[in-house]
Amino acid sequence: MNRSIPATEAAAAPVSDAASMSESHSMSDAGLRVLAAGTLMPGFTGTTMPAWVGSALDAGLGSVCIYGTNLTSPAQLAELMGQLRAASPSVLLTLDEEGGDVTRLHYLTGSNQPGNAVLGRINDPATTAASAAAIADELAALGFNLNLAPDADVNSNPGNPVIGVRSFGADAPLVAEHTAAWVAGLQEAGVAACAKHFPGHGDTATDSHLALPTIDVDLETLRDRELAPFAAAIAAGTASIMTSHIMVPALDAQNPATFSRAVLGELLRDSMGFEGAVITDALDMAGACAITGIEVAAVRALAAGADLLCLGSETSAERYEDILDTIVAAVRAGDLPLARLRDAARRTAELAAAYPPAAPTGTGQAPDAAAITAAFDLSPAAHEWLADPAAPALVQVDSEANMAVGHVPWGAAAVGAHTDLDAVDRHAKIALIGRGLDAGHPVRKLAEELRSDGQRVIVVECGWPRGGADLVTFGASLTVSAALVGLLAPRSATRDSTGGTRA
């Protein structure tokens, strides 16, 4: 069921500024608001559909995005999705379900899929496609028809604070191969994919949720590294591509990618031939709206070539109305051509039409614990630790996640196998478990202190390796955490990757 999005029509025929202005003046504000609503994707606060979202759906809202903060239980999520789907049978209902560390479906427990970095380590495209299909089945069962995944970034900077294990790897051809497999697996199971974060967020040291990163490389490097996975996603028929709020001076020295006609028009549309929907990353992120505000950011993104605007998790009725008003005013003022707004609304509507709500296919499958464990990287010290007959103690050290991950259970604690350090037996061997273990992480000092006290200690990194860890899991989802505990403490009573218990 890998569907293609129809080629552009309105965008193909240039419209003079004068003609566009004349047509925009002849259209009512109500008509412009319907067009503008068709390009918006708000989130909302709470666990039931707000009245304003229902009204917006009646008035042509193009999409609604669900976040982890909208969940309290699987039953509640199913009820919420039923409310939204009943309000609009054709709307794009979406979320960030990458599998692995970034999960919304399993925000309360952790994902039952390993995530991209582990899949890249397994390096079997069929396994990657099956993992994506399993995610699609869960989404389809709830009424979702668009998934803001996969992450197609090449994580070439090991210190990247926001991508890391969300990436399939640091090698562009490998990332390209698995991006294409993930797209195919998801879409053949009936859910639209969205490759992100164009033109590539992997070589950054700044989180675009908090500031505006820059990728300062030449065009040849961009083509061979950053763009290769997106070219593969386009070849695989990806229904949509998400922009990133990053500066790429080699392409546009003035505008972040989300607001750049050079990036979204000349590169993505003209050079790379992408005909699907262009979706923005959340416009409430600092990299997008810190200077101008989200209302102006929405107009800039549409004018640059974006079709569907992700507004963020805490959109209010007032903010939604302000964004609509600003878009209408921009059309009236000639700052946003009516033809561009029509084109954006059409592309979004065509995406929704190409991916109506689907039934689960039952074709997906997660890799088993053995395959996940085989993807771990173990040092000689880790092998020695495993061979030591002493009783193991798994001590999880607080490690703050980035905003894309949020507050999802992870590591030994997620499967009920964490032991407080002050409760560890003096004769036990200790695994200190953390993630994002940069040079200043407290796990490093703690390991030194314990070793100097004569205890056998290994350090476990549940994120992207940054040096100094004895064991690296390349992820911290529930299923990866269960595999880790199964390796380190096989006799511990823990929750398995489906939330049950095992001995």
Side-chain angles (χ1 to χ4, degrees), residues 420-440:
D420 290 334
L421 186 58
D422 57 10
V424 172
D425 184 274
R426 181 68 180 81
H427 302 290
K429 58 181 182 180
I430 301 172
L432 295 179
I433 301 171
R435 59 180 174 181
L437 304 184
D438 55 29

Side-chain angles (χ1 to χ4, degrees), residues 369-464:
I372 293 171
T373 303
F376 296 169
D377 185 18
L378 279 71
S379 70
H383 285 289
E384 292 176 7
W385 188 95
L386 289 172
D388 187 331
L394 312 186
V395 177
Q396 188 160 315
V397 181
D398 286 342
S399 301
E400 185 176 353
N402 62 58
M403 292 180 69
V405 173
H407 302 288
V408 179
W410 66 280
V415 291
H418 161 73
T419 300
D420 290 334
L421 186 58
D422 57 10
V424 172
D425 184 274
R426 181 68 180 81
H427 302 290
K429 58 181 182 180
I430 301 172
L432 295 179
I433 301 171
R435 59 180 174 181
L437 304 184
D438 55 29
H441 196 284
V443 75
R444 296 185 182 276
K445 182 178 180 181
L446 180 57
E448 291 179 4
E449 292 173 350
L450 290 169
R451 286 166 178 157
S452 66
D453 197 32
Q455 296 199 260
R456 169 157 284 185
V457 176
I458 58 169
V459 173
V460 178
E461 166 69 85
C462 287
W464 192 269

Side-chain angles (χ1 to χ4, degrees), residues 310-411:
C310 180
L311 304 182
S313 62
E314 297 184 353
T315 310
S316 65
E318 294 75 20
R319 169 166 283 180
Y320 178 76
E321 291 297 324
D322 287 347
I323 292 169
L324 284 179
D325 289 343
T326 304
I327 293 172
V328 170
V331 175
R332 294 286 188 223
D335 298 326
L336 175 63
L338 177 59
R340 172 78 275 274
L341 181 61
R342 284 190 186 279
D343 183 49
R346 178 184 56 78
R347 289 182 190 271
T348 298
E350 287 176 348
L351 173 58
Y355 285 86
T361 64
T363 58
Q365 183 177 352
D368 62 23
I372 293 171
T373 303
F376 296 169
D377 185 18
L378 279 71
S379 70
H383 285 289
E384 292 176 7
W385 188 95
L386 289 172
D388 187 331
L394 312 186
V395 177
Q396 188 160 315
V397 181
D398 286 342
S399 301
E400 185 176 353
N402 62 58
M403 292 180 69
V405 173
H407 302 288
V408 179
W410 66 280

Side-chain angles (χ1 to χ4, degrees), residues 195-503:
K196 61 188 185 185
H197 307 79
F198 188 81
H201 205 318
D203 189 18
T204 59
T206 303
D207 186 343
S208 53
H209 292 85
L210 307 174
L212 181 61
T214 296
I215 292 184
D216 197 5
V217 298
D218 57 36
L219 287 173
E220 183 177 4
T221 301
L222 280 171
R223 184 189 67 243
D224 293 344
R225 188 179 66 188
E226 272 72 22
L227 297 180
F230 293 98
I234 293 169
T238 187
S240 61
I241 286 177
M242 178 179 282
T243 70
S244 59
H245 310 321
I246 61 173
M247 292 295 298
V248 188
L251 299 173
D252 187 334
Q254 304 299 321
N255 302 291
T258 296
F259 309 123
S260 171
R261 295 180 186 180
V263 173
L264 303 187
E266 296 171 21
L267 176 59
L268 183 57
R269 294 290 191 206
D270 300 339
S271 296
M272 300 182 72
F274 179 61
E275 294 290 351
V278 175
I279 303 175
T280 70
D281 206 344
L283 293 179
D284 65 345
M285 295 164 60
C289 72
I291 296 175
T292 66
I294 192 170
E295 294 82 5
V296 172
V299 172
R300 292 180 68 199
L302 285 169
D307 305 308
L308 183 58
L309 312 182
C310 180
L311 304 182
S313 62
E314 297 184 353
T315 310
S316 65
E318 294 75 20
R319 169 166 283 180
Y320 178 76
E321 291 297 324
D322 287 347
I323 292 169
L324 284 179
D325 289 343
T326 304
I327 293 172
V328 170
V331 175
R332 294 286 188 223
D335 298 326
L336 175 63
L338 177 59
R340 172 78 275 274
L341 181 61
R342 284 190 186 279
D343 183 49
R346 178 184 56 78
R347 289 182 190 271
T348 298
E350 287 176 348
L351 173 58
Y355 285 86
T361 64
T363 58
Q365 183 177 352
D368 62 23
I372 293 171
T373 303
F376 296 169
D377 185 18
L378 279 71
S379 70
H383 285 289
E384 292 176 7
W385 188 95
L386 289 172
D388 187 331
L394 312 186
V395 177
Q396 188 160 315
V397 181
D398 286 342
S399 301
E400 185 176 353
N402 62 58
M403 292 180 69
V405 173
H407 302 288
V408 179
W410 66 280
V415 291
H418 161 73
T419 300
D420 290 334
L421 186 58
D422 57 10
V424 172
D425 184 274
R426 181 68 180 81
H427 302 290
K429 58 181 182 180
I430 301 172
L432 295 179
I433 301 171
R435 59 180 174 181
L437 304 184
D438 55 29
H441 196 284
V443 75
R444 296 185 182 276
K445 182 178 180 181
L446 180 57
E448 291 179 4
E449 292 173 350
L450 290 169
R451 286 166 178 157
S452 66
D453 197 32
Q455 296 199 260
R456 169 157 284 185
V457 176
I458 58 169
V459 173
V460 178
E461 166 69 85
C462 287
W464 192 269
R466 301 185 183 192
D470 302 296
L471 191 160
V472 182
T473 66
F474 294 89
S477 73
L478 181 59
T479 192
V480 172
S481 298
L484 173 65
V485 171
L487 174 68
L488 298 181
R491 296 183 181 179
S492 297
T494 64
R495 275 176 31 205
D496 66 21
S497 60
T498 64
T501 59
R502 66 179 177 86

